Amino acid sequence: MNLREKCPIIHFDDLGDERGKLVVIEGGQSIPFDVKRVFYIYDSDDTVVRGQHANRESEFVLINVAGRSKVRITDGEEEFVAELDRPMTGVYIPKMIWKDMYDFSKDSILLVLASTHYDGTEYIRDYEEYLKEVKKK
Ligand code: TYD
């Protein structure tokens, strides 16, 4: 499986009508895990890079529910950039994938759905350490 297949862009159904749009994300249905945690990142801009880590245990779906940002995704071999700029589209990031989020528009609200409760010890924040661990697999 190549990296884009491992980290697919997911298009959610729009249940909107003349009253406005409605997007529903059901854990285990439109995304491949049950959601245990939700967080969102806003008030970032195009000068910062966030993320810069991989997670040994967590899976994520990232959605720009407002504005736009980019996510650079790598498994240590391949790399691609997901451009998130619509509330109906997200990117799935499985375990042990390195990600950097950047180029946030001023109005960006980046919603993150996670498969785990927060545990800082499952983060790998050193890229050399990540390469070592990912190559063992
Ligand atoms: P960090 O992982 O640096 O954010 P990002 O991935 O966007 O770069 O997290 C920033 C701070 O917030 C850090 O002190 C850890 C804390 N945090 C939690 O307590 N719970 C969480 O679910 C997340 C994502 C972060």
Side-chain angles (χ1 to χ4, degrees):
M1 215 190 270
N2 68 31
L3 186 61
R4 280 177 191 271
E5 288 166 339
K6 280 191 234 165
C7 304
I9 302 293
I10 304 176
H11 301 281
F12 303 110
D13 289 339
D14 169 24
L15 305 181
D17 53 30
E18 63 287 350
R19 298 169 300 165
K21 294 200 184 292
L22 172 69
V23 176
V24 179
I25 301 169
E26 298 228 22
Q29 294 182 9
S30 43
I31 63 171
F33 56 82
D34 286 328
V35 177
K36 284 222 177 122
R37 175 165 51 118
V38 173
F39 54 96
Y40 41 93
I41 295 165
Y42 65 101
D43 222 2
S44 288
D45 61 26
D46 60 5
T47 67
V48 295
V49 181
R50 303 196 58 121
Q52 301 190 286
H53 46 58
N55 294 74
R56 297 186 183 91
E57 302 299 336
S58 300
E59 300 165 65
F60 300 97
V61 168
L62 279 62
I63 306 154
N64 257 101
V65 292
R68 62 207 137 68
S69 71
K70 293 181 184 144
V71 195
R72 189 183 307 110
I73 296 168
T74 182
D75 59 2
E77 289 182 353
E78 296 172 64
E79 174 182 310
F80 80 96
V81 174
E83 298 199 15
L84 301 176
D85 59 2
R86 58 198 65 186
M88 287 166 56
T89 302
V91 61
Y92 169 63
I93 302 187
K95 296 174 192 176
M96 285 305 279
I97 296 288
W98 187 272
K99 57 217 167 292
D100 304 319
M101 295 88 86
Y102 62 105
D103 241 356
F104 297 91
S105 62
K106 281 278 185 199
D107 59 348
S108 169
I109 303 176
L110 179 60
L111 176 70
V112 183
L113 311 176
S115 64
T116 59
H117 293 299
Y118 182 71
D119 170 9
T121 66
E122 61 112 4
Y123 279 69
I124 308 172
R125 293 183 180 274
D126 179 279
Y127 191 66
E128 294 305 314
E129 172 61 27
Y130 167 70
L131 288 178
K132 262 190 232 159
E133 286 197 31
V134 83
K135 280 178 181 153
K136 274 191 237 149
K137 298 211 161 210

